[in-house]
Amino acid sequence: MYRFYVQPQQNVYTRSLIGYEMLFRKYDRNGWHLPQDFASIPLEEQINLLKKVGTDLKLKVESLSFNLNREQFTSQTMTNILIETQKQIYPATLIVELTEDQGNQNIRIEEIKQYAKQYLKYGIELSIDDVSSGDNTYEKIAPLLDIASEIKFPMQNLRSEHRASEIPGQLLFWRKITQNFGLRLIVEGVESVVDDELLNELDLPLRQGYFYEKPHLFRLIGDPKL
C-alpha cells in the first residue's frame, strides 16, 4: 500500500502554514518506508493518491509540493495529468519540485523550460529542489530562475556531504539570488535551535524540517489502522 507522508512548510515569523511537501511512502511487513524504486509505482496510483490528498487539503493550505525528476517533468502524459489535478485541487497551488535526478534520459534545460511554461499556464509552479547540492549548482540551474517560483535549500544535504561550514555563506548567496529574481527561498532540513537561530539572523522565514515537525502519515477516509 502507498500513501503520502506530509511535512509542513511554514513562515515562522507569521507562524502560518504555507503548504505541505508530499513524500511518497510504502507500507509492508516492515512498516512505512521509502519505496526502493519510484519508477515501479504505477503512475495512475500516484496521481489518484495525489488527487485524493489534494482534495482533502485544498481549503486548508496554500500549496502542495510534489517531487518529479527531470524525465517525469518533461513527460506530456504527466503534464496533462497534473494540469487536471491542479484544476481539481484549486484554490490550492500545486508546486512541482524539480529534483536533480535525470531519470533514464539526458534532459536539456530548454526542454524543461518549455514544459514549465505549460505548467504555469494552468497555475502549477516550479520549485528547484536541493540547490547547492549534487548537480543543482547555480551554473546549471541559472537558466530556470526566470521561470521558477521558488528554490529549496537543503541544509541536511550539505551536512551529509561534510560541507556544513558552507551553509551560512550558501544561504547568503541564495538569499541574494532569490531577491534578484523575486523567488521564494524555503530552507529545509532545519533540525536544531542552532539552525533556527541562524535563519533568524539571516532573515529567512520560510522553513521546513524536523525542528518544527517531522513528516507524518496523511490518512485517507477508510484507511485501516496500521
Side-chain angles (χ1 to χ4, degrees):
M1 181 171 69
Y2 297 99
R3 287 292 181 269
F4 280 116
Y5 270 50
V6 296
Q7 187 173 31
Q9 300 171 333
Q10 56 187 294
N11 184 324
V12 298
Y13 291 178
T14 61
R15 298 184 180 181
S16 60
L17 176 67
I18 60 173
Y20 282 116
E21 180 177 0
M22 297 187 292
L23 307 161
F24 227 71
R25 295 293 184 268
K26 180 180 180 180
Y27 185 83
D28 57 26
R29 62 184 181 181
N30 297 315
W32 291 102
H33 56 86
L34 278 169
Q36 290 187 345
D37 181 13
F38 283 91
S40 68
I41 305 170
L43 179 59
E44 183 178 356
E45 185 164 357
Q46 295 184 50
I47 296 303
N48 285 341
L49 185 55
L50 175 62
K51 288 180 177 179
K52 288 178 182 178
V53 174
T55 299
D56 284 351
L57 289 174
K58 66 182 182 180
L59 299 178
K60 300 174 184 176
V61 293
E62 296 177 11
S63 64
L64 296 171
S65 298
F66 180 67
N67 290 279
L68 293 181
N69 67 26
R70 298 186 177 205
E71 182 179 4
Q72 293 167 329
F73 188 86
T74 54
S75 159
Q76 191 61 54
T77 299
M78 177 66 80
T79 303
N80 295 339
I81 290 172
L82 291 184
I83 287 169
E84 287 303 311
T85 302
Q86 174 62 80
K87 292 176 181 177
Q88 184 170 324
I89 70 170
Y90 181 82
T93 297
L94 182 61
I95 300 175
V96 177
E97 293 192 14
L98 182 66
T99 70
E100 64 177 290
D101 178 27
Q102 290 279 357
N104 295 320
Q105 302 180 34
N106 187 22
I107 309 298
R108 295 180 299 108
I109 206 80
E110 284 305 316
E111 189 173 358
I112 293 172
K113 291 189 73 168
Q114 290 170 9
Y115 276 86
K117 290 175 182 177
Q118 283 193 62
Y119 287 119
L120 278 174
K121 286 181 181 179
Y122 295 90
I124 301 170
E125 296 184 357
L126 168 63
S127 172
I128 305 174
D129 199 18
D130 292 342
V131 296
S132 287
S133 176
D135 284 337
N136 276 3
T137 61
Y138 173 74
E139 291 75 16
K140 291 187 177 181
I141 61 92
L144 297 176
L145 293 174
D146 62 349
I147 199 75
S149 296
E150 74 176 30
I151 64 172
K152 297 190 73 177
F153 181 88
M155 299 180 84
Q156 76 282 5
N157 285 14
L158 269 69
R159 291 192 190 98
S160 67
E161 296 169 5
H162 307 290
R163 299 168 56 205
S165 62
E166 299 178 30
I167 289 175
Q170 290 290 333
L171 284 169
L172 284 171
F173 173 80
W174 287 109
R175 185 181 70 176
K176 181 177 180 181
I177 295 298
T178 53
Q179 288 172 344
N180 289 345
F181 283 87
L183 309 179
R184 297 185 300 272
L185 172 57
I186 297 182
V187 182
E188 57 182 341
V190 185
E191 298 175 351
S192 67
V193 172
V194 173
D195 291 345
D196 186 64
E197 290 177 346
L198 171 63
L199 298 178
N200 288 341
E201 291 174 9
L202 298 178
D203 195 24
L204 296 172
L206 305 183
R207 307 175 195 174
Q208 176 183 342
Y210 282 19
F211 181 71
Y212 309 109
E213 189 173 336
K214 293 182 178 181
H216 60 273
L217 174 66
F218 186 86
R219 292 189 179 276
L220 300 172
I221 296 173
D223 270 351
K225 292 184 178 180
L226 301 172

